């Protein structure tokens, strides 16, 4: 039995002379998809609307107007001295 085992073995000493007639087989694997990306410039117009709001504000600007009046007063020399002294005394009393 050992002898038949070696004779049927492909790895025996007669390996160079042994050439079995094995038919060729073809096996198809599922397809593999390969993607190649190519980029091309595309012009895209972007329109941005701008609205200007003009805001008007009232701010006070002071403009001064002056009025002028004149009056004539008759003063005698004697009366002005008495009034001057009296007014000075009144100021000291306060």
């Amino acid at each position: 039995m050992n002898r038949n085992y070696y004779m049927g073995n492909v790895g025996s000493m007669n390996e160079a002379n042994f050439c079995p007639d094995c038919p060729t087989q073809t096996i198809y694997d599922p397809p593999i998809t390969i993607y190649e990306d190519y980029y091309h410039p595309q012009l895209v117009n972007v329109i941005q609307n701008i609205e200007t709001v003009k805001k008007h504000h009232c701010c006070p600007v002071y403009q001064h107007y002056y009025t002028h009046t004149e009056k004539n007063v008759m003063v005698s020399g004697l009366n002005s001295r008495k009034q001057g002294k009296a007014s000075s005394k009144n100021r000291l009393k306060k």
Side-chain angles (χ1 to χ4, degrees):
M1 281 203 222
N2 283 344
R3 192 173 160 200
N4 289 337
Y5 175 74
Y6 287 111
M7 286 184 72
N9 189 0
V10 176
S12 67
M13 289 187 176
N14 295 331
E15 183 178 335
N17 296 332
F18 180 74
C19 184
D21 186 19
C22 297
T24 302
Q25 292 184 342
T26 303
I27 298 175
Y28 291 97
D29 281 341
I32 296 174
T33 303
I34 298 175
Y35 293 99
E36 293 182 355
D37 294 332
Y38 296 94
Y39 297 95
H40 304 282
Q42 177 187 13
L43 182 63
V44 177
N45 293 318
V46 178
I47 299 172
Q48 178 70 50
N49 187 26
I50 298 174
E51 179 183 23
T52 301
V53 177
K54 295 182 178 182
K55 297 167 64 175
H56 299 270
H57 303 274
C58 291
C59 351
V61 176
Y62 298 102
Q63 185 173 3
H64 295 277
Y65 294 97
Y66 298 98
T67 61
H68 180 249
T69 59
E70 291 184 11
K71 68 178 181 176
N72 293 313
V73 177
M74 287 299 291
V75 179
S76 66
L78 294 176
N79 288 338
S80 63
R81 288 184 196 162
K82 289 181 182 178
Q83 287 177 354
K85 290 180 183 180
S87 62
S88 302
K89 289 179 184 178
N90 289 338
R91 287 186 195 150
L92 292 174
K93 289 181 182 178
K94 290 180 182 180

